Amino acid sequence: MSRSEKGPNLTVKLSGVELKNPIMPASGTFGSGKEFEEYLNLNRLGMVVTKGVADVPWKGNATPRVAETYGGMLNSVGLQNPGSDHFIREDIPFLESYDTKTMVNIAGRSIEEYVGVVTALQHQPVDFLELNISCPNIKEGGVAFGTDVDMAYQVTKKVKEAAKQPLIVKLSPNVTDIVAVAKACEAAGADGISLINTLLGMKMDIKTRSPLLANTFGGLSGPAIKPVALRMVYQVAREINIPIIGIGGISTWEDALEFILAGATAVQVGTANFRNPRAMMEIIEGLENYLKEENIDGIEELIGAGHK
Ligand SMILES: Cc1cc2nc3c(=O)[nH]c(=O)nc-3n(C[C@H](O)[C@H](O)[C@H](O)COP(=O)(O)O)c2cc1C
């Protein structure tokens, strides 16, 4: 079949698995997709990425735990979730009713907790695991694993031993040397890297003259973090040989394309979903049009094409 009959080819291969296109939601901004069913067709997405799932229910942090900022938002939700048993019972059958790949985001406070969730998912119809070692909003574990090279190595290695699905490790930008952490995860057996999670920030309430978030600090997301995220994807892409999923402030197809040119095989859309629940559909259509107009056979040709 010629290209004109097939239409522009957005398929990408991520750690050996073919995705319809490189567009997926960022964890925690899309639930498991149910809330978005009326706005978009989940079958059109390259993959659905779930909210963070822990081994037992977590109640999250005290409120207020979200705040608006210039070009984005702060959140200190703290990975509130009903636990893996509930997830397997309620969310997996829902996701299975769609013809799209699924990636489950894994939360934990210790290596044992992470391994517990991954073990519970071993025989479930899940295509990828995304290990969140980068949440700035929980006291123990979480970001501590993602900001220490040795700990990032240890947790990746142990989780990989228990994992039956390809393992993507999600990195924190709250480090001085992102490349060192990415390399440690690759050496420990990660099948891919996703980056970035939120940047640690805060906001003052000038009326009460105290921090606005009950947790004092929160994670900054949205367009404001895009240049930092893009820089990190570019740097990591030069140094590792496993695929990268780019995340951070992506709201338009042009943003998504920038990350692909920087070396991302796929991208996640987070905060933009709150403002425009159809953002991912518009990004997919925008990329299709771009390929058509530029006469490019497939999006895979563009991965990393922006490196000099
Ligand atoms: C409200 C909210 C909840 C989030 N929950 C999670 C989560 O459960 N697990 C995770 O790995 N990242 C979580 N994140 C981080 C996002 O997945 C993403 O990495 C980050 O927001 C940057 O992308 P964005 O600028 O497109 O939002 C959350 C972000 C927000 C705003």
Side-chain angles (χ1 to χ4, degrees):
M1 214 189 284
S2 74
R3 186 177 69 229
S4 54
E5 285 170 71
K6 269 198 310 189
N9 183 3
L10 283 190
T11 60
V12 292
K13 248 212 174 118
L14 183 72
S15 312
V17 179
E18 188 171 286
L19 310 182
K20 283 175 202 165
N21 62 62
I23 309 302
M24 60 189 79
S27 177
T29 67
F30 198 69
S32 286
K34 275 188 199 132
E35 299 87 336
F36 282 79
E37 265 184 316
E38 62 176 294
Y39 300 107
L40 47 80
N41 179 358
L42 268 62
N43 286 327
R44 285 280 281 142
L45 299 176
M47 182 137 70
V48 172
V49 183
T50 72
K51 65 196 166 193
V53 177
D55 59 345
V56 290
W58 289 8
K59 64 178 171 50
N61 293 324
T63 56
R65 52 189 193 178
V66 288
E68 271 195 44
T69 62
Y70 296 120
M73 63 181 279
L74 285 164
N75 94 83
S76 59
V77 172
L79 300 178
Q80 180 174 342
N81 80 96
S84 56
D85 285 351
H86 182 275
F87 176 79
I88 289 169
R89 213 173 42 242
E90 300 290 327
D91 295 55
I92 289 205
F94 168 78
L95 290 166
E96 258 201 296
S97 68
Y98 280 97
D99 172 31
T100 184
K101 305 286 181 215
T102 54
M103 175 145 78
V104 180
N105 183 274
I106 313 288
R109 285 168 295 214
S110 65
I111 291 182
E112 292 69 31
E113 285 187 12
Y114 284 119
V115 168
V117 186
V118 167
T119 306
L121 293 171
Q122 274 175 343
H123 304 293
Q124 295 297 326
V126 164
D127 298 288
F128 284 91
L129 305 170
E130 181 176 53
L131 181 65
N132 177 10
I133 57 168
S134 46
C135 181
N137 298 324
I138 51 168
K139 288 201 174 60
E140 317 88 27
V143 77
F145 287 105
T147 52
D148 181 295
V149 171
D150 289 335
M151 281 171 81
Y153 179 88
Q154 292 305 336
V155 68
T156 304
K157 195 165 180 338
K158 288 279 181 246
V159 171
K160 177 67 189 166
E161 279 165 18
K164 288 274 188 279
Q165 296 90 351
L167 180 69
I168 308 293
V169 183
K170 182 164 175 182
L171 303 190
S172 168
N174 303 305
V175 296
T176 352
D177 186 356
I178 191 81
V179 170
V181 185
K183 279 184 159 173
C185 297
E186 182 181 35
D191 299 292
I193 297 291
S194 57
L195 75 164
I196 60 175
N197 207 314
T198 54
L199 278 152
L200 197 61
M202 74 179 293
K203 181 168 178 150
M204 281 293 175
D205 182 337
I206 56 169
K207 287 207 186 78
T208 61
R209 299 189 200 120
S210 57
L212 186 135
L213 296 171
N215 208 37
T216 307
F217 305 129
L220 177 65
S221 62
I225 71 170
K226 195 190 106 188
V228 178
L230 191 64
R231 181 265 293 177
M232 288 187 163
V233 166
Y234 187 89
Q235 285 179 317
V236 169
R238 297 176 95 88
E239 302 287 340
I240 64 171
N241 295 309
I242 49 177
I244 295 172
I245 303 177
I247 322 165
I250 298 172
S251 316
T252 64
W253 68 264
E254 290 96 330
D255 295 335
L257 184 57
E258 281 190 64
F259 278 81
I260 291 166
L261 293 172
T265 296
V267 298
Q268 295 181 0
V269 178
T271 301
N273 295 319
F274 299 137
R275 193 176 271 260
N276 173 12
R278 286 193 47 79
M280 286 187 286
M281 293 298 107
E282 290 168 14
I283 292 173
I284 293 167
E285 284 158 20
L287 289 175
E288 275 171 355
N289 288 338
Y290 177 78
L291 291 190
K292 249 188 259 168
E293 278 163 20
E294 297 290 317
N295 220 11
I296 296 168
D297 281 338
I299 194 99
E300 283 198 314
E301 285 176 35
L302 299 176
I303 298 171
H307 282 258
K308 293 220 178 88

